[in-house]
């Protein structure tokens, strides 16, 4: 049943939303008794705040785009690159990493990738290195904050860490992983980056979307304050989304229905249904099988083993089910093991198309721009980039745990 749900999410027959198969599948498992009502209620209670948080971040990212934040990013990248593809790659890495960390990986995939296409076309540069960077960084650069990725939200609630401690432990692995990916990209795409682009015409200086930037800054500060006060950070995300949505409604730039659609309700239903399906699989033997494979403790060999297992599982069953399965097993070894799982399920999906929903969504956007993706090339890049980023990131986590404490 889990395989069928994931295949339909990957293929999306007839352009059906992911929830069309996942919700009935979850219902069937409940009706047949494959998962008990108590476990369904527990899973819904566990995922409810996470799903609410995700909805708020999606709305926040959508209205940042409406305020012109991402178009301004495109102009900034083109001006800074000054016709040099290598400088454009550096700009894409910097912006994609920041946007993924603050506004989640969905913002990088859905909103930044089309801007990168347009920027490369305006410069006359080959788009492949820069577009590939968007999908790799939507996974790798989502390590920093609990809000950067749905997997992070799940790990955050399991780890028992505060918002600031989570970020403090992950900042070094985040920087190391991004740096390793950057070096791999410069080497792998040396030919494309060495092709000179025509000197671009002077663009008009972009309007600074000051209101959106201030709202995002206040939302980030709200995360820190809410965490210190023991308040769910979802309330900070909701407040930021409410401010931008209300401003758009008052100015008649949007409608209430658009606000609801921005929260992607069908995707939220898919996440909940997928959680129930995974819980049924866990209850019926998968947890016992993985429990024998998952290393215990937070020593360096254990952290490397946990991250490697998480990376492999992410590419076999997608990173979201992988994190749902592994977190309860890793939690008994403490926050270090939980964060090692996170490194595996966030960096590992760059190996295959099916590794994360973000990569699948990216592939669809790339095809919409009539730009082909070579499966062999994508996989070859992943085979180099994933171990090059994952191993030093685990070392950095181990170092952070010893310096800061778990």
């Amino acid at each position: 049943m889990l395989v069928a749900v994931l295949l339909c999410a990957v293929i999306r027959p007839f352009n059906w939303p992911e929830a069309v198969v996942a919700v009935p599948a979850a219902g069937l498992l409940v009706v047949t008794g494959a998962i008990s009502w108590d476990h369904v209620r527990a899973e819904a209670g566990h995922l409810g705040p996470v799903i609410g948080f995700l909805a708020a971040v999606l709305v926040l990212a959508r209205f940042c785009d409406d305020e012109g934040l991402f178009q301004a990013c495109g102009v900034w990248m083109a001006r800074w690159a000054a016709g040099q593809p290598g400088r454009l790659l550096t700009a894409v890495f910097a912006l994609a990493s920041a946007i993924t960390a603050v506004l989640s990986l969905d913002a990088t995939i859905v909103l930044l990738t089309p801007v990168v296409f347009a920027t490369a076309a305006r410069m006359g540069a080959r788009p492949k290195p820069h577009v590939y960077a968007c999908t790799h960084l939507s996974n790798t650069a989502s390590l920093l904050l609990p809000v950067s990725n749905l997997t992070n939200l799940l790990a955050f609630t399991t780890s028992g860490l505060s918002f600031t401690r989570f970020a403090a432990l992950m900042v070094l692995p985040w920087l190391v992983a991004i740096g390793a990916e950057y070096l791999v990209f410069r080497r792998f795409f040396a030919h494309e980056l060495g092709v000179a682009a025509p000197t671009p015409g002077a663009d008009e200086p972009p309007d600074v979307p000051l209101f959106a930037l201030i709202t995002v800054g206040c939302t980030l500060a709200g995360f820190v304050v809410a965490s210190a006060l023991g308040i769910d950070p979802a309330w900070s995300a909701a407040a930021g989304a409410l401010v931008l949505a209300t401003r758009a409604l008052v100015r008649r730039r949007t409608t209430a229905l658009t606000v609801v659609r921005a929260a992607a309700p069908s995707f939220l239903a898919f996440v909940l249904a997928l959680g129930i399906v995974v819980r049924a699989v866990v209850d019926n033997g998968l947890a016992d099988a993985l429990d024998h494979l998952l290393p215990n403790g937070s020593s360096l060999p254990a952290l490397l083993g946990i991250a490697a297992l998480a990376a492999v599982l992410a590419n076999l069953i997608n990173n979201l089910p992988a994190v749902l399965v592994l977190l309860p097993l890793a939690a008994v070894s403490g926050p270090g093991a939980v964060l090692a799982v996170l490194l595996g399920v966030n960096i590992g999906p760059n190996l295959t198309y099916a590794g994360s929903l973000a990569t699948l969504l990216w592939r669809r956007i790339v095809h919409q721009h009539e730009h082909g993706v070579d499966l062999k090339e994508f996989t070859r890049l992943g085979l180099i980039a994933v171990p090059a980023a994952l191993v030093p990131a685990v070392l950095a986590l181990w170092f952070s745990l010893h310096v800061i404490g778990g």
Side-chain angles (χ1 to χ4, degrees):
M1 189 68 77
L2 176 59
V3 172
V5 169
L6 291 174
L7 279 178
C8 289
V10 171
I11 300 171
R12 292 189 64 188
F14 311 108
N15 286 325
W16 288 344
E18 293 89 347
V20 167
V21 173
V23 172
L28 184 61
L29 290 172
V30 173
V31 170
T32 57
I35 179 172
S36 68
W37 274 107
D38 287 342
H39 283 187
V40 170
R41 282 192 290 269
E43 201 62 33
H46 177 62
L47 288 177
V50 174
I51 291 172
F53 202 123
L54 177 63
V57 170
L58 288 174
V59 172
L60 184 68
R62 165 59 190 273
F63 285 98
C64 279
D65 184 41
D66 288 355
E67 291 280 338
L69 180 61
F70 293 93
Q71 288 303 319
C73 288
V75 176
W76 289 333
M77 284 191 293
R79 289 167 65 86
W80 194 83
Q84 299 181 40
R87 286 174 64 94
L88 178 60
L89 182 68
T90 305
V92 171
F93 259 75
L95 272 175
S97 299
I99 289 171
T100 298
V102 176
L103 293 175
S104 85
L105 75 172
D106 298 292
T108 296
I109 291 295
V110 177
L111 303 175
L112 184 65
T113 300
V115 172
V116 169
F117 262 117
T119 303
R122 188 162 61 244
M123 284 179 53
R126 298 184 180 184
K128 188 189 296 181
H130 319 293
V131 176
Y132 273 47
C134 288
T135 184
H136 269 245
L137 290 170
S138 70
N139 292 313
T140 300
S142 67
L143 292 168
L144 182 59
L145 302 176
V147 299
S148 306
N149 194 333
L150 184 56
T151 56
N152 297 25
L153 292 172
L154 295 166
F156 177 57
T157 56
T158 302
S159 67
L161 297 167
S162 67
F163 190 96
T164 49
R165 198 168 193 81
F166 181 102
L169 287 171
M170 293 302 271
V171 64
L172 188 58
W174 181 71
L175 289 171
V176 167
I178 292 170
E181 288 260 14
Y182 180 75
L183 294 177
V184 169
F185 266 67
R186 291 302 297 244
R187 178 75 175 174
F188 192 86
F189 292 110
H191 176 67
E192 287 84 353
L193 296 174
V195 177
T199 303
D203 288 316
E204 292 293 327
D207 293 329
V208 178
L210 193 59
F211 190 86
L213 287 174
I214 291 174
T215 303
V216 170
C218 290
T219 303
L220 282 175
F223 291 151
V224 177
V225 174
S227 180
L229 297 177
I231 300 171
D232 195 319
W235 290 107
S236 299
L242 185 63
V243 167
L244 289 183
T246 301
R247 173 181 163 93
L249 286 168
V250 169
R251 294 188 166 193
R252 298 182 184 279
R253 290 178 175 174
T254 191
T255 64
L257 181 59
T258 302
V259 176
V260 173
R261 285 176 174 168
S266 67
F267 184 72
L268 302 180
F270 165 74
V271 172
L272 178 59
L274 180 61
I276 293 172
V277 172
V278 170
R279 180 62 183 265
V281 176
V282 169
D283 289 351
N284 288 280
L286 182 59
D288 292 337
L290 288 173
D291 197 24
H292 289 94
L293 296 175
L294 195 71
N296 294 317
S298 56
S299 65
L300 180 57
L303 295 179
L304 286 168
I306 292 169
L309 179 62
V312 171
L313 197 61
N315 285 285
L316 292 177
I317 63 171
N318 193 271
N319 66 343
L320 186 55
V323 80
L324 288 169
V325 171
L326 291 175
L327 283 180
L329 304 176
V332 296
S333 294
V338 171
L339 296 180
V341 169
L342 204 54
L343 294 182
V345 298
N346 283 4
I347 298 174
N350 284 329
L351 188 59
T352 66
Y353 279 147
S356 75
L357 294 175
T359 306
L360 296 172
L361 185 57
W362 169 83
R363 187 183 60 171
R364 192 182 308 167
I365 291 173
V366 169
H367 286 160
Q368 288 171 356
H369 285 75
E370 299 180 350
H371 186 86
V373 178
D374 186 322
L375 176 60
K376 288 183 179 178
E377 184 180 56
F378 184 93
T379 306
R380 190 159 54 89
L381 175 62
L383 285 170
I384 300 170
V386 168
L390 185 58
V391 173
V394 174
L395 288 169
L397 173 64
W398 175 79
F399 179 78
S400 296
L401 288 167
H402 277 74
V403 172
I404 301 173

